[in-house]
Amino acid sequence: MNMEQTFRWYGPKDPVSLEFVRQTGATGVVSSLHHIPYGEVWTVEEIKKHQKLIEDAGLTWSVVESLPVHEDIKTASGRYLEYIENYKISLRNLGECGIHVITYNFMPVLDWIRTDLRYKLPDGSEALYFNQAQFAAFEVFILQRKGAEKDYTPEKLAEAKAFYDSMDEEARQRFTSGLIDNFPGFKGVTLEDVRAMLKKYEHLTRENLEANLKYFLSEVCPVAEEAGCIMVIHPDDPPYSILGLPRIFSDINDVKKLLAMVDSPANGICFCSGSFSGRLDNNIVEMFKACADRVGFVHLRSTQHDNNGNFFEANHLEGVVDMYELVKAIIEEQIRRKKAGRKDWRLPFRPDHGHTMLDDLAKPPCPNPGYTAIGRLKGLAEIRGLEFGILKSMGLK
Ligand code: DNO
């Protein structure tokens, strides 16, 4: 009755090889075709090539993360109709290759955001960190977004200025690229690119963005359903508005709205506990229970907050997420599904992110922040142990 253990693999250039992934005990791989530009079709040939690499290593490509949604689709502008058609073809092709769980997100402009990729913990290991004043320094003084200062209190702005002043030019550049140039398949993003993308959202309201998501889902879900696939949306990270942009998948109301947008089993959720936990009014276990039957993929992670709205990524069993209750709720959902005869009863999960620690500290910085081997292996092992204990106490081991 255990969950499917998966590990993310960024492709042949990932410093954590498939051979190493196998040694973690994971059986599934979470991966993407990062070399294909956003919006273009994933052909059966390209999918199969990647799949073969994974299978030759004795693993299964269980989950796609992500099949990216082009900015034109999010803004319903430019070539969005063509990109939606392309998306449908990719979905059909993935289904044909036996890959059924498709992760995506609908975050405008930037995906996840952290202000420090090497936040030192007391034991010397490093975590990903989000600090509001540092983010303010980015958008007010570096990006110089019009009106950004209105989103902050004078105290926060003073803190932001002090942080900005403390950096020399080189440090500012490192800080900036850590914020905006971290996304696989979308490398080399500049401040100018961000400004141009922001421009496209100038007149776009929250309602518009929701309508665009609804349109996208109403187009692609029927195709996904036919192909035996489930589309799973990744939460906003952090789960609130940033850069003055609407974010529409951050809390329980957003979850309910999403499920109501298109009533199809193919309209699903990637339940990322760490992302949702970036907001203290989100009750993670309650949220999971509220959407459990539409969850297609789980990211297990937690965050630790201070009193100023800042957080770092905690050890997997620590921080604000009640991991025991969450894993228990996942197991209970699997039991329910199995009883109901659902073929997709086993949920794939991955240890989301991990600290940079031990030997990994001596290596060149990981090109995929949060995805060093040892920290994730630690997370996986801890969750596996937790799951083992829960199953045993339920008489299921
Ligand atoms: C970061 C990830 C996200 C996620 C995408 C899914 O580590 O959780 O980049 O893969 O948002 O589309």
Side-chain angles (χ1 to χ4, degrees):
M1 197 39 80
N2 55 305
M3 304 178 275
E4 182 191 2
Q5 296 173 29
T6 70
F7 220 66
R8 193 173 193 172
W9 181 62
Y10 280 93
K13 289 196 193 125
D14 192 327
V16 185
S17 66
L18 284 170
E19 195 190 344
F20 286 179
V21 170
R22 186 148 185 218
Q23 291 177 17
T24 66
T27 50
V29 167
V30 175
S31 202
S32 180
L33 300 182
H34 295 301
H35 60 286
I36 300 184
Y38 287 16
E40 282 184 22
V41 169
W42 288 18
T43 61
V44 169
E45 197 191 342
E46 285 296 322
I47 298 167
K48 285 212 162 133
K49 241 201 300 185
H50 198 71
Q51 192 175 34
K52 186 167 180 325
L53 296 176
I54 295 170
E55 289 181 353
D56 285 352
L59 296 156
T60 307
W61 185 0
S62 324
V63 177
V64 170
E65 181 173 357
S66 302
L67 180 55
V69 177
H70 195 280
E71 284 294 299
D72 280 7
I73 298 179
K74 295 178 191 167
T75 51
S77 65
R79 294 165 65 184
Y80 77 107
L81 292 174
E82 182 190 334
Y83 292 144
I84 290 179
E85 290 313 309
N86 287 353
Y87 207 99
K88 292 181 191 168
I89 302 172
S90 301
L91 280 176
R92 284 200 193 94
N93 292 347
L94 284 163
E96 195 183 315
C97 296
I99 304 165
H100 300 296
V101 183
I102 319 298
T103 316
Y104 71 102
N105 73 70
F106 221 74
M107 289 179 250
V109 183
L110 298 176
D111 187 329
W112 61 278
I113 292 175
R114 296 290 181 274
T115 57
D116 188 352
L117 307 175
R118 306 193 61 178
Y119 180 69
K120 273 252 179 277
L121 297 172
D123 65 4
S125 60
E126 294 172 357
L128 305 184
Y129 178 57
F130 184 83
N131 177 292
Q132 290 197 340
Q134 292 176 358
F135 190 71
F138 166 71
E139 58 168 342
V140 176
F141 304 112
I142 295 177
L143 183 66
Q144 299 177 358
R145 179 172 75 79
K146 226 168 99 204
E149 63 286 347
K150 286 194 221 104
D151 291 351
Y152 299 97
T153 60
E155 294 75 33
K156 221 27 134 204
L157 285 174
E159 217 186 303
K161 182 75 172 51
F163 174 71
Y164 176 76
D165 288 341
S166 74
M167 291 185 287
D168 60 16
E169 201 37 50
E170 202 198 318
R172 281 177 195 156
Q173 266 175 25
R174 221 177 317 119
F175 170 65
T176 303
S177 72
L179 265 159
I180 65 173
D181 191 17
N182 261 324
F183 313 110
F186 193 44
K187 287 278 186 199
V189 180
T190 64
L191 285 172
E192 277 320 306
D193 295 333
V194 175
R195 289 186 188 114
M197 286 192 278
L198 279 173
K199 205 154 176 50
K200 287 198 168 183
Y201 285 87
E202 242 168 14
H203 302 293
L204 205 119
T205 62
R206 184 189 165 91
E207 287 68 34
N208 297 144
L209 192 63
E210 280 171 355
N212 297 347
L213 173 59
K214 183 172 177 168
Y215 179 72
F216 169 67
L217 286 174
S218 64
E219 286 290 310
V220 299
C221 283
V223 175
E225 219 177 307
E226 242 179 68
C229 294
I230 179 168
M231 296 281 301
V232 294
I233 185 167
H234 185 279
D236 303 326
D237 186 4
Y240 39 78
S241 163
I242 49 145
L243 293 171
L245 296 165
R247 296 261 228 181
I248 57 174
F249 198 62
S250 297
D251 63 15
I252 184 88
N253 292 325
D254 295 343
V255 168
K256 288 182 183 154
K257 265 196 197 170
L258 173 102
L259 296 180
M261 272 179 197
V262 174
D263 188 18
S264 154
N267 176 20
I269 291 167
C270 163
F271 195 88
C272 177
S273 59
S275 298
F276 281 136
S277 78
R279 200 166 144 159
L280 290 171
D281 57 352
N282 277 341
N283 179 327
I284 306 304
V285 177
E286 286 311 307
M287 281 177 86
F288 177 80
K289 289 183 178 167
C291 62
D293 70 328
R294 289 274 198 92
V295 172
F297 180 31
V298 184
H299 288 182
L300 295 177
R301 175 167 70 78
S302 186
T303 51
Q304 185 68 54
H305 298 242
D306 65 14
N307 294 325
N308 293 312
N310 312 317
F311 63 83
F312 66 86
E313 299 189 357
N315 282 317
H316 288 78
L317 304 190
E318 294 169 15
V320 296
V321 174
D322 186 339
M323 203 55 83
Y324 168 78
E325 287 296 341
L326 181 57
V327 171
K328 199 159 142 254
I330 297 170
I331 293 170
E332 283 162 0
E333 172 59 16
Q334 294 192 144
I335 294 171
R336 239 187 324 271
R337 288 184 184 194
K338 206 165 181 197
K339 272 200 190 132
R342 270 174 70 167
K343 276 201 302 235
D344 63 344
W345 67 266
R346 193 191 295 283
L347 278 163
F349 87 94
R350 65 175 179 83
D352 193 23
H353 305 174
H355 294 162
T356 305
M357 61 193 298
L358 309 184
D359 297 10
D360 281 337
L361 284 165
K363 294 180 189 156
C366 183
N368 312 303
Y371 291 90
T372 47
I374 301 171
R376 283 188 293 156
L377 171 62
K378 182 178 175 221
L380 178 65
E382 289 181 348
I383 293 163
R384 184 158 53 210
L386 174 64
E387 183 195 48
F388 184 93
I390 295 173
L391 288 173
K392 186 114 186 156
S393 70
M394 289 169 99
L396 295 168
K397 265 268 179 234

